[in-house]
C-alpha cells in the first residue's frame, strides 16, 4: 500500500452536464458561505434595520439614524412576517440543500465523521421542525372578567353586566325602571361574623335604585347565603345601616334577585404583532353580537390617505390611497351581499372638531398665534359666539364680533358692573355701581334702601363664571338682604332664571372673607352649610355684568373681512394713569407687536362650520409602545351617504361595560338608505376557543411589603382558571407568566392583569383591581422536532470536539508505529487517510 500524505487533500470528482453543474454548485463550500452571509444580512436588516450616518462626524451616536426596512411602504411586515417571507424560506431551503449535498459528497460516513453528520442532520431537522412550528403558528389573547352580576327584575328578562367598578345598567320592570351600578369591589373581603368568620371572599357591592327606594346590595363569591342590603338612614352614625338591623330582614326587596356568576370567554383575538390580523366588526343598532369581516391587505405601520381633506395634518405626509374590499364571511352579517370598502388607514390619530370656512350662517372663528421674544409660539382657536370658546388664557385673549363701528368703539371703554334693587310696593329703584374700590375695601355694614324697611350688603361679584363644564357662563353678584323678619343671601345673576335665595350664614363676618371657604366660588358657597329658601318677592334684583377690555381682543366686523386688534398698553411713566387702549387694523398673516408679544391672525372665517376629522399625530409625538391602539380606517358602505372613520378597539366589546377600564368603546355609526343604523369598529380577527374559559381567582406574589404600585414589586402573577367541561367546569388550574398550562393542544399563559386604579372621571368608582385577567393563547406544533434537532446537533458537537480527536490520536499513533516497522495492526494507514478525507 502506498502511504498517504496527511497534508494532501482528497480530490472531489466534478460532475458534468447541467445537472452536474447544480451538484457541483451545491457541493461548494464557497456557495454555502455566500448563502450564510446573505442569511446574516437578511436577518440583520429584519431585526435591527439599517443604521446610517446623518453627517460626516460619525464619532457621535447623535449623528446616526436607524430605519426599519420591513416597516417601509411596500413591505409593511411584522418581524414574524419578515422571517416568514419567501426570500427567507428560500435561503433556508438552499442552505439545507447545500448542507445535504456537501455532506453526502464531501464527508464519508465513517466513525470519525459521525459528529459532523449529526450536526448537519440536527440543523436540517431543526429547519424542518421550524417550518412546521411557524407554518402553523398562531398567538393571541383572551380577556377574562372574573364575575358577572346576574339581575332578575320582576316582569323583565334576566340580564347581566360584568362585575367591574363603575359599570351600570338599567332594566325596565313591571313596576318601573331599575338602575344598577357596581360601586365597589373588594377582592379580599374578610367575613366578620357567622361560622365563616375570618375567611376571605370576593365582594361586589351594587347600588340599586328601584322605582321607590335606593339601597346597596353586597354579593360574596362562594357565600350567597350572606347576600344582604345596606340602606341609608338619615341621622344615623354611620348613615349606612345593614337592612337586617333597620328592617329586620337582610334584603330590602326580596323579589329582586342579584347573583354572581362566571363571565366565560369564548374567543381568542389574534395578535397583530405576529401577523396582520385586522378585522372589521359590524352590527345593527340595538343588537349585541358583532359580525366579523377579516381585512386583508391593510397596512400596519404607515398612514394611507387619498386626500388631505380627509384629515387634519400639520406635517408632511404623502398621499398613498388604499382600496380594500371587505367581504362578509358569516351568515349573521347584517350587510351580507353589500359592498364595504376601506379607503384610508391611519396608524396614530385622534378625532378632532375644528372650524373651517364654508358655513351658511354667521359664525366668526379665528386662529391667533402668539410668539414670545424667545421665539416660542402657541396657536389659539377662538369662536366669537361660543360662550366657552370665545376667549383663552383666562380671558386675556378674546375674539368678538360687532355689527357696527360704534359697537367696536364701545369695546374700548370699560363699563362697571351694575346691581339694581327694586321694591315694587314702594316704587323704589336703586342702582348700585360696583366699583373696583368696593372690591378692595368691602363694607361690613348694611346700607338702608331709602323709603323701605329693607337694607342690603354687597358681598362680591364675578363675571363669566363656569358653574358646569360645557354649559353657558354666568355672571352674578352676591348680596345680603335684611328685612324686619329675617336676613338672607341672594345670588343675582345676569340671567334672572338662575337667581336664588339662601339662608344667611351667621358665622360669616359679612365682609366676603370667610376663612373656611372660598367666598368667590359658588360651588363651595352652596354646600352642606347653606340651604336654598323660597324667593322673597318683596325685593327684585337685576345684575348687569361689567366689561373691561381684555389685554388682547381680535374684533371682527361689521364687514365680514374687517379685523382689528384692541390691546391694552402701559406707556412708560403712566403707571398711575392706568393702561391705554390701542386699536389697529390687521390682515390675515400680518404680525402685530402687542405687550411684548407678536400676534398673528393665521386664519379667519366669518361663516365657519364645524367639521370632525382625524388629526394625524406626528411621529415625534407618538407614544411608541401604543402599537395600533390609536389606529383607524375610513370605511365606505354601499348606499350610505358618506364614508366614516372607524376607530380601533382592542377587543370587540359588546358595550362600554366590557372595556376593562383600560380601553374605550366608541363605535362609528352609519345610516343606510333603508333607515337602519349600523355600528362598526376596527379590531383584530378572533377565533372561537374549543372550550370556554372562566377566571376563578387571581393572585400576585410580591416582594416584602406587598404591591407598591410598581410592577417591580411583583414576583409573579397567577390566574386560577376553569375550562368548560360539558355542562360544568373543570377543576381550578393555575396559569402564571412562566408556567403556562396546556389544555387540549392550546397553551395558556399570563399576559396582562388588572392593577388597582383610581376614579377615571367625576362620578366614577375607584378599583382595587383583580377583576379580570388577560390570558395569552398559543400553540406549539413542531417544538418536539425542533428540540430533537437541537439535541442531535449538540451531541454531534460533543462527538466532533471531544470523541473525534481521541479517535484520530489513536489512529495517528497506530500509523506512526506501522511506519516505524511495528505491527499496530492492518489498515492503520488507511484509517488515517480516511481521517484526512
Amino acid at each position: 500500500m502506498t502511504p498517504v500524505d496527511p497534508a494532501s487533500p482528497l480530490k472531489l470528482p466534478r460532475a458534468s452536464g447541467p445537472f452536474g453543474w447544480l451538484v457541483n454548485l451545491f457541493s461548494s463550500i464557497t456557495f454555502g458561505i455566500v448563502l450564510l452571509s446573505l442569511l446574516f444580512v437578511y436577518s440583520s436588516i429584519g431585526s435591527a434595520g439599517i443604521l446610517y450616518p446623518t453627517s460626516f462626524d460619525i464619532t457621535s451616536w447623535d449623528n446616526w439614524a436607524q430605519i426599519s426596512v420591513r416597516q417601509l411602504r411596500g413591505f409593511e411586515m411584522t418581524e414574524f412576517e419578515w422571517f416568514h417571507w419567501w426570500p427567507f424560506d428560500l435561503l433556508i431551503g438552499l442552505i439545507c440543500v447545500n448542507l445535504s449535498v456537501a455532506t453526502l459528497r464531501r464527508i464519508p460516513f465513517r466513525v470519525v465523521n459521525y459528529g459532523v453528520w449529526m450536526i448537519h442532520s440536527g440543523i436540517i431537522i431543526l429547519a424542518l421542525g421550524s417550518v412546521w412550528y411557524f407554518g402553523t403558528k398562531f398567538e393571541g389573547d383572551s380577556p377574562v372578567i372574573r364575575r358577572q352580576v346576574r339581575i332578575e327584575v320582576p316582569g323583565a328578562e334576566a340580564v347581566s353586566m360584568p362585575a367591574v367598578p363603575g359599570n351600570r345598567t338599567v332594566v325596565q320592570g313591571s313596576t318601573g325602571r331599575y338602575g344598577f351600578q357596581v360601586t365597589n369591589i373588594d377582592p379580599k373581603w374578610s367575613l366578620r361574623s357567622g361560622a365563616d368568620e375570618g375567611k376571605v371572599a370576593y365582594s361586589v357591592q351594587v347600588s340599586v335604585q328601584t322605582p321607590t327606594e335606593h339601597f346597596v346590595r353586597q354579593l360574596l363569591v362562594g357565600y350567597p347565603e350572606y347576600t344582604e342590603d345596606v340602606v341609608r338612614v338619615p341621622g344615623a352614625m354611620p348613615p349606612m345601616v345593614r337592612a337586617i338591623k333597620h328592617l329586620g330582614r337582610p334584603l330590602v326587596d326580596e323579589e329582586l334577585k342579584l347573583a354572581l356568576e362566571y363571565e366565560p370567554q369564548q374567543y381568542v383575538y389574534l395578535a397583530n404583532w405576529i401577523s396582520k390580523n385586522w378585522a372589521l366588526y359590524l352590527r345593527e343598532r340595538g343588537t349585541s353580537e358583532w359580525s366579523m369581516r377579516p381585512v386583508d391587505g391593510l397596512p400596519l405601520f404607515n398612514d394611507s390617505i387619498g386626500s388631505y381633506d380627509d384629515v387634519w395634518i400639520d406635517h408632511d405626509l404623502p398621499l398613498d390611497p388604499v382600496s380594500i374590499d371587505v367581504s362578509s364571511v358569516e351568515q349573521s352579517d347584517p350587510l351580507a351581499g353589500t359592498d364595504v370598502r376601506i379607503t384610508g388607514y391611519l396608524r396614530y390619530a385622534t378625532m378632532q372638531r375644528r372650524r373651517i370656512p364654508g358655513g351658511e350662517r354667521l359664525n366668526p372663528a379665528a386662529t391667533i398665534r402668539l410668539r414670545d421674544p424667545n421665539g416660542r409660539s402657541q396657536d389659539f382657536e377662538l369662536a366669537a359666539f361660543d360662550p366657552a370658546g370665545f376667549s383663552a388664557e383666562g380671558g386675556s385673549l378674546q375674539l368678538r364680533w360687532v355689527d357696527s363701528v360704534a359697537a367696536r368703539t364701545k369695546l374700548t371703554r370699560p363699563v362697571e358692573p351694575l346691581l339694581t334693587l327694586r321694591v315694587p310696593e314702594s316704587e323704589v329703584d336703586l342702582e348700585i355701581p360696583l366699583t373696583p374700590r368696593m372690591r378692595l375695601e368691602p363694607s361690613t355694614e348694611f346700607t338702608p334702601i331709602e323709603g323701605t324697611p329693607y337694607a342690603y350688603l354687597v358681598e362680591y361679584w364675578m363675571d363669566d363664571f363656569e358653574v358646569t363644564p360645557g354649559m353657558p357662563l354666568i355672571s352674578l353678584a352676591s348680596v345680603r338682604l335684611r328685612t324686619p323678619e329675617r336676613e338672607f343671601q341672594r345670588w343675582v345673576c345676569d340671567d334672572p332664571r338662575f337667581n336664588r335665595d339662601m339662608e344667611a350664614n351667621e358665622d360669616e363676618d359679612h365682609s366676603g372673607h370667610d376663612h373656611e371657604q372660598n367666598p368667590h366660588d359658588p360651588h363651595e358657597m352652596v354646600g352642606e352649610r347653606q340651604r336654598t329658601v323660597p324667593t322673597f318677592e318683596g325685593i327684585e334684583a337685576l345684575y348687569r355684568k361689567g366689561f373691561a377690555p381684555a389685554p388682547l381682543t381680535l374684533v371682527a366686523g361689521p364687514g365680514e373681512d374687517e379685523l382689528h386688534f384692541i390691546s391694552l398698553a402701559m406707556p412708560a411713566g403712566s403707571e398711575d394713569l392706568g393702561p391705554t387702549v390701542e386699536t389697529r387694523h390687521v390682515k390675515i398673516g400680518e404680525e402685530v407687536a402687542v405687550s411684548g408679544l407678536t400676534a398673528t391672525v393665521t386664519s379667519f372665517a366669518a361663516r365657519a362650520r364645524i367639521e370632525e376629522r382625524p388629526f394625524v399625530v406626528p411621529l415625534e409625538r407618538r407614544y411608541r409602545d401604543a402599537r395600533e391602539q390609536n389606529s383607524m380606517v375610513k370605511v365606505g358602505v354601499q348606499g350610505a351617504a358618506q364614508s366614516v372613520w372607524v376607530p380601533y378597539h382592542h377587543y370587540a366589546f359588546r358595550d362600554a361595560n366590557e372595556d376593562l377600564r383600560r380601553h374605550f368603546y366608541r363605535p362609528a355609526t352609519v345610516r343606510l338608505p333603508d333607515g337602519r343604523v349600523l355600528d362598526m369598529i376596527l379590531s383584530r380577527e378572533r377565533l372561537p376557543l374549543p372550550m370556554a374559559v372562566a377566571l376563578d381567582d387571581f393572585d400576585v406574589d410580591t416582594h416584602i411589603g406587598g404591591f407598591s404600585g410598581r410592577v417591580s414589586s411583583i414576583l409573579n402573577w397567577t390566574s386560577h382558571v376553569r375550562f368548560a367541561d360539558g355542562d360544568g367546569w373543570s377543576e381550578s388550574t393555575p396559569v402564571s407568566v412562566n408556567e403556562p398550562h396546556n389544555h387540549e393542544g392550546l397553551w395558556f399563559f399570563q399576559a396582562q392583569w388588572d392593577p388597582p386604579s383610581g376614579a377615571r372621571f367625576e362620578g366614577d368608582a375607584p378599583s382595587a383591581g383583580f377583576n379580570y385577567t388577560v390570558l395569552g393563547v398559543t400553540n406549539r406544533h413542531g417544538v418536539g422536532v425542533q428540540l430533537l434537532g437541537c439535541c442531535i446537533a449538540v451531541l454531534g458537537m460533543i462527538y466532533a470536539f471531544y470523541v473525534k480527536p481521541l479517535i484520530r490520536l489513536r489512529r495517528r499513533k497506530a500509523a506512526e508505529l506501522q511506519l516505524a516497522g511495528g505491527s499496530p495492526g492492518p489498515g492503520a494507514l488507511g484509517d488515517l487517510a480516511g481521517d484526512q478525507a
Side-chain angles (χ1 to χ4, degrees):
M1 176 181 293
T2 303
V4 177
D5 182 4
S8 60
L10 296 178
K11 297 293 184 180
L12 181 67
R14 297 188 63 82
S16 59
F19 178 76
W21 180 86
L22 287 176
V23 171
N24 293 330
L25 175 65
F26 282 97
S27 302
S28 170
I29 302 301
T30 302
F31 182 61
I33 294 174
V34 170
L35 291 176
L36 290 174
S37 300
L38 291 175
L39 181 65
F40 173 78
V41 172
Y42 183 93
S43 301
S44 299
I45 292 175
S47 294
I50 296 177
L51 195 66
Y52 62 93
T54 57
S55 72
F56 291 105
D57 181 14
I58 61 175
T59 60
S60 173
W61 281 111
D62 295 336
N63 298 326
W64 289 83
Q66 184 184 31
I67 183 172
S68 180
V69 176
R70 61 181 174 81
Q71 295 182 6
L72 295 176
R73 298 179 188 275
F75 290 99
E76 280 286 351
M77 293 183 181
T78 65
E79 193 168 12
F80 179 89
E81 290 172 329
W82 178 267
F83 290 105
H84 213 311
W85 198 20
W86 68 263
F88 181 80
D89 294 340
L90 178 62
L91 282 173
I92 295 297
L94 291 176
I95 289 173
C96 288
V97 173
N98 174 251
L99 199 61
S100 301
V101 175
T103 301
L104 292 172
R105 296 196 68 203
R106 289 180 174 273
I107 305 175
F109 188 67
R110 296 174 179 169
V111 174
V112 73
N113 295 326
Y114 285 172
V116 179
W117 275 74
M118 291 171 67
I119 294 171
H120 292 183
S121 300
I123 293 174
I124 294 173
I125 292 173
L126 173 61
L128 294 175
S130 298
V131 171
W132 184 13
Y133 177 84
F134 291 106
T136 60
K137 172 74 173 179
F138 92 90
E139 185 170 328
D141 48 275
S142 293
V144 188
I145 298 176
R146 190 163 177 173
R147 292 295 187 275
Q148 62 178 331
V149 181
R150 179 179 173 84
I151 304 170
E152 296 182 28
V153 172
E157 294 184 0
V159 299
S160 63
M161 66 174 174
V164 176
N167 282 358
R168 62 186 66 196
T169 189
V170 175
V171 180
Q172 183 67 41
S174 57
T175 59
R177 288 166 59 92
Y178 288 71
F180 303 89
Q181 180 180 5
V182 180
T183 56
N184 182 60
I185 293 181
D186 188 344
K188 301 294 183 181
W189 173 270
S190 179
L191 298 177
R192 303 171 183 175
S193 61
D196 298 302
E197 182 178 359
K199 294 183 179 180
V200 173
Y202 184 77
S203 166
V204 179
Q205 292 183 356
V206 182
S207 174
V208 181
Q209 179 66 62
T210 72
T212 58
E213 50 201 346
H214 174 264
F215 55 89
V216 175
R217 180 163 295 184
Q218 183 179 39
L219 309 171
L220 300 177
V221 170
Y223 300 94
E225 65 273 19
Y226 293 147
T227 299
E228 66 174 351
D229 294 341
V230 179
V231 298
R232 178 180 290 274
V233 179
M237 290 301 293
M240 301 302 293
V241 179
R242 296 171 61 193
I244 188 68
K245 293 184 176 181
H246 182 63
L247 302 176
R249 60 180 187 273
L251 302 182
V252 175
D253 186 348
E254 296 180 344
E255 293 185 353
L256 175 65
K257 307 296 183 182
L258 271 66
L260 294 177
E261 298 179 350
Y262 287 126
E263 175 81 310
Q265 176 58 258
Q266 299 177 337
Y267 294 100
V268 54
Y269 291 82
L270 301 182
N272 262 347
W273 64 268
I274 293 289
S275 59
K276 294 184 287 294
N277 293 291
W278 295 112
L280 191 67
Y281 290 82
L282 41 87
R283 68 184 180 191
E284 284 193 41
R285 176 67 60 84
T287 60
S288 60
E289 298 301 325
W290 293 99
S291 176
M292 182 186 72
R293 290 193 176 197
V295 180
D296 297 323
L298 188 67
L300 179 62
F301 302 104
N302 297 282
D303 301 317
S304 297
I305 58 173
S307 172
Y308 293 119
D309 293 335
D310 292 340
V311 298
W312 307 119
I313 190 169
D314 59 4
H315 62 279
D316 294 333
L317 178 66
L319 293 179
D320 183 21
V322 295
S323 180
I324 302 173
D325 179 56
V326 186
S327 302
S328 61
V329 295
E330 298 180 355
Q331 294 182 350
S332 60
D333 194 313
L335 290 181
T338 302
D339 180 48
V340 176
R341 188 167 296 275
I342 293 177
T343 57
Y345 168 77
L346 298 175
R347 167 72 172 181
Y348 203 115
T350 59
M351 297 301 295
Q352 289 187 2
R353 294 163 63 92
R354 296 186 182 181
R355 293 176 175 86
I356 60 175
E360 297 180 356
R361 298 181 300 175
L362 185 66
N363 185 21
T367 300
I368 302 174
R369 177 172 298 161
L370 298 182
R371 189 177 72 249
D372 64 17
N374 297 322
R376 294 172 298 187
S377 62
Q378 185 175 356
D379 290 350
F380 299 91
E381 296 183 0
L382 305 176
F385 297 162
D386 185 352
F390 80 97
S391 66
E393 296 295 284
S396 297
L397 177 63
Q398 299 182 1
L399 172 64
R400 301 278 187 172
W401 170 265
V402 296
D403 53 10
S404 66
V405 175
R408 183 171 66 227
T409 303
K410 189 176 180 180
L411 291 177
T412 65
R413 301 169 182 170
V415 177
E416 292 179 343
L418 182 66
L419 175 65
T420 302
L421 299 179
R422 294 175 180 171
V423 182
E425 63 181 9
S426 302
E427 299 183 354
V428 172
D429 282 5
L430 177 63
E431 293 186 348
I432 309 168
L434 304 181
T435 64
R437 182 173 297 276
M438 294 174 62
R439 191 187 297 273
L440 296 174
E441 301 175 2
S443 175
T444 60
E445 301 294 335
F446 278 83
T447 301
I449 303 177
E450 295 185 5
T452 74
Y454 310 130
Y456 72 91
L457 171 63
V458 177
E459 295 182 308
Y460 61 86
W461 63 93
M462 52 189 172
D463 293 338
D464 297 327
F465 181 80
E466 185 182 40
V467 177
T468 304
M471 298 299 290
L473 306 180
I474 67 171
S475 300
L476 63 86
S478 176
V479 58
R480 190 176 294 271
L481 298 173
R482 177 182 292 170
T483 71
E485 294 80 19
R486 63 189 179 101
E487 183 179 319
F488 59 93
Q489 181 186 15
R490 175 173 293 182
W491 277 0
V492 187
C493 301
D494 56 342
D495 186 342
R497 294 177 302 169
F498 298 115
N499 288 2
R500 66 174 65 177
D501 289 354
M502 292 162 289
E503 288 181 340
N505 194 329
E506 300 299 334
D507 296 333
E508 292 185 9
D509 59 6
H510 296 184
S511 65
H513 296 283
D514 181 30
H515 301 291
E516 297 183 11
Q517 61 182 348
N518 179 2
H520 301 294
D521 189 350
H523 292 103
E524 297 185 9
M525 293 299 295
V526 178
E528 296 294 332
R529 301 177 58 188
Q530 288 180 294
R531 182 172 61 89
T532 301
V533 297
T535 301
F536 177 65
E537 303 292 345
I539 302 176
E540 298 177 356
L542 300 174
Y543 176 71
R544 185 196 69 192
K545 69 177 182 178
F547 171 77
L552 181 60
T553 303
L554 177 64
V555 182
E560 293 190 1
D561 57 351
E562 289 187 57
L563 296 175
H564 290 79
F565 267 137
I566 297 178
S567 61
L568 299 182
M570 184 71 72
S574 63
E575 289 77 4
D576 295 337
L577 300 177
T580 61
V581 181
E582 298 180 354
T583 303
R584 68 187 77 181
H585 183 268
V586 66
K587 297 180 180 179
I588 296 178
E590 178 184 356
E591 294 186 348
V592 178
V594 290
S595 303
L597 301 175
T598 300
T600 307
V601 182
T602 59
S603 66
F604 173 77
R607 299 179 181 273
R609 59 185 176 88
I610 297 178
E611 184 165 320
E612 187 175 36
R613 302 178 190 171
F615 169 69
V616 184
V617 179
L619 290 175
E620 62 274 10
R621 289 161 53 186
R622 299 181 182 182
Y623 178 56
R624 62 181 304 170
D625 292 333
R627 294 185 176 177
E628 69 271 35
Q629 295 292 334
N630 298 291
S631 301
M632 57 182 66
V633 291
K634 188 178 183 182
V635 179
V637 178
Q638 180 182 357
Q642 58 185 9
S643 300
V644 296
W645 284 98
V646 180
Y648 173 82
H649 290 63
H650 204 54
Y651 304 104
F653 304 121
R654 286 174 293 187
D655 54 43
N657 283 338
E658 295 185 350
D659 65 6
L660 307 180
R661 293 177 61 94
R662 67 191 305 166
H663 302 288
F664 62 84
Y665 175 75
R666 294 197 302 264
T669 59
V670 176
R671 186 173 297 276
L672 301 178
D674 58 8
R676 290 185 298 164
V677 178
L678 293 182
D679 291 335
M680 289 193 294
I681 62 172
L682 174 69
S683 189
R684 302 168 290 159
E685 286 188 56
R686 66 183 183 186
L687 299 176
L689 290 168
M691 80 302 291
V693 59
L695 178 62
D696 193 40
D697 199 356
F698 190 90
D699 292 327
V700 292
D701 299 326
T702 64
H703 293 283
I704 296 175
F707 179 57
S708 65
R710 297 178 178 270
V711 175
S712 58
S713 65
I714 297 179
L715 293 172
N716 197 12
W717 297 263
T718 302
S719 296
H720 299 270
V721 301
R722 296 179 184 267
F723 299 96
D725 184 9
D727 295 332
W729 296 94
S730 67
E731 293 296 323
S732 182
T733 302
V735 175
S736 61
V737 176
N738 297 317
E739 296 183 12
H741 175 73
N742 181 19
H743 189 82
E744 296 188 10
L746 292 179
W747 288 86
F748 294 82
F749 59 93
Q750 184 64 42
Q752 298 177 31
W753 72 302
D754 176 26
S757 61
R760 298 162 295 175
F761 48 84
E762 185 176 356
D764 187 36
S767 172
F770 302 89
N771 300 306
Y772 67 85
T773 187
V774 178
L775 299 176
V777 185
T778 187
N779 59 5
R780 302 182 65 185
H781 301 315
V783 173
V785 178
Q786 290 176 309
L787 292 176
L788 176 63
C790 291
C791 292
I792 292 175
V794 170
L795 291 175
M797 293 178 190
I798 294 174
Y799 190 96
F801 287 103
Y802 293 97
V803 178
K804 179 179 178 179
L806 296 176
I807 296 176
R808 295 189 64 182
L809 179 62
R810 180 179 62 82
R811 291 182 176 180
R812 184 177 294 277
K813 288 182 178 181
E816 290 175 352
L817 287 175
Q818 184 178 355
L819 291 174
S823 56
L829 292 177
D831 290 342
L832 182 61
D835 293 349
Q836 298 297 326

